Amino acid sequence: DVGVFDPNVVRTFFLEIPGDDWFQELTEFHRTDVSVPATVTIDGATHKNVGVQFRGNTSFQMARGKKKSFDLTFDLVDGKQSFRGLRNLDLLNNNTDPSQLREMLHGVVANRFFPAPRTALVRVVVNGEDFGTYTAMQQFDKDFVAVSMISTGPNVLVVRADATFQSLADVI
């Protein structure tokens, strides 16, 4: 039993998103707070009612076809559900990266020097269709702060999307 972010393991994430129009539905809900419930199977364990959203901006617009980045929320319906302790996980499509390794390697190297979201290569299959290699990336959330021992004091700031600053304690 190896950790979620073991660089020697490439897991397969099987996503079962209901409906023939799942892609259109996720596209319409992109950049909203609406998640589509799906079933996600990893390592033979089935997680029901996992919230799925498309994520990203440039990677969403520039990615051709259906290979978009995903945001998975394991505790969407059941607040106790997680994937090996992770309530949220991003699946990055590695857009414009022919090697498919840039994001994963950045995570591995960065974690050698400072707290950074952990990463791993994964394979994604949606409704039986193989979408190929993705990078699973830990979200920068309460779970990340808890394991990385980052201070959430008032002097720790984050940059918001509108280029203003906000206390990390207020964000998480």
Side-chain angles (χ1 to χ4, degrees):
D1 188 37
V2 295
V4 174
F5 300 104
D6 185 316
N8 297 309
V9 176
V10 177
R11 289 184 164 78
T12 300
F13 282 59
F14 294 95
L15 282 66
E16 291 296 326
I17 305 171
D20 293 334
D21 60 345
W22 68 267
F23 186 83
Q24 181 62 34
E25 185 176 21
L26 285 176
T27 300
E28 290 173 6
F29 291 137
H30 180 245
R31 299 186 64 96
T32 71
D33 62 352
V34 177
S35 293
V36 174
T39 299
V40 179
T41 303
I42 312 158
D43 297 339
T46 299
H47 307 273
K48 295 185 181 216
N49 295 311
V50 174
V52 177
Q53 293 179 311
F54 285 145
R55 69 172 306 277
N57 189 22
T58 304
S59 67
F60 176 80
Q61 293 174 358
M62 293 181 65
R64 296 178 188 213
K66 293 182 179 177
K67 189 176 179 179
K68 307 290 186 188
S69 294
F70 294 97
D71 176 9
L72 303 181
T73 306
F74 288 91
D75 63 349
L76 177 70
V77 174
D78 178 358
K80 296 179 181 178
Q81 180 171 253
S82 68
F83 169 56
R84 298 189 179 199
L86 296 168
R87 293 178 294 156
N88 298 296
L89 191 64
D90 290 334
L91 301 178
L92 308 179
N93 65 357
N94 300 316
N95 187 52
T96 71
D97 179 11
S99 74
Q100 302 289 295
L101 297 172
R102 182 180 61 223
E103 293 290 342
M104 190 275 299
L105 287 175
H106 174 265
V108 170
V109 172
N111 271 285
R112 295 183 69 201
F113 300 101
F114 54 85
R118 295 171 295 167
T119 59
L121 287 179
V122 298
R123 183 174 144 231
V124 173
V125 176
V126 180
N127 294 348
E129 183 179 349
D130 191 343
F131 279 40
T133 305
Y134 278 68
T135 297
M137 186 172 77
Q138 179 182 23
Q139 286 192 358
F140 190 88
D141 58 10
K142 289 180 183 180
D143 296 333
F144 170 76
V145 171
V147 298
S148 64
M149 296 184 277
I150 294 176
S151 169
T152 58
N155 297 328
V156 179
L157 302 176
V158 295
V159 180
R160 296 168 35 117
D162 63 2
T164 60
F165 293 95
Q166 186 173 8
S167 166
L168 177 62
D170 293 337
V171 174
I172 61 168

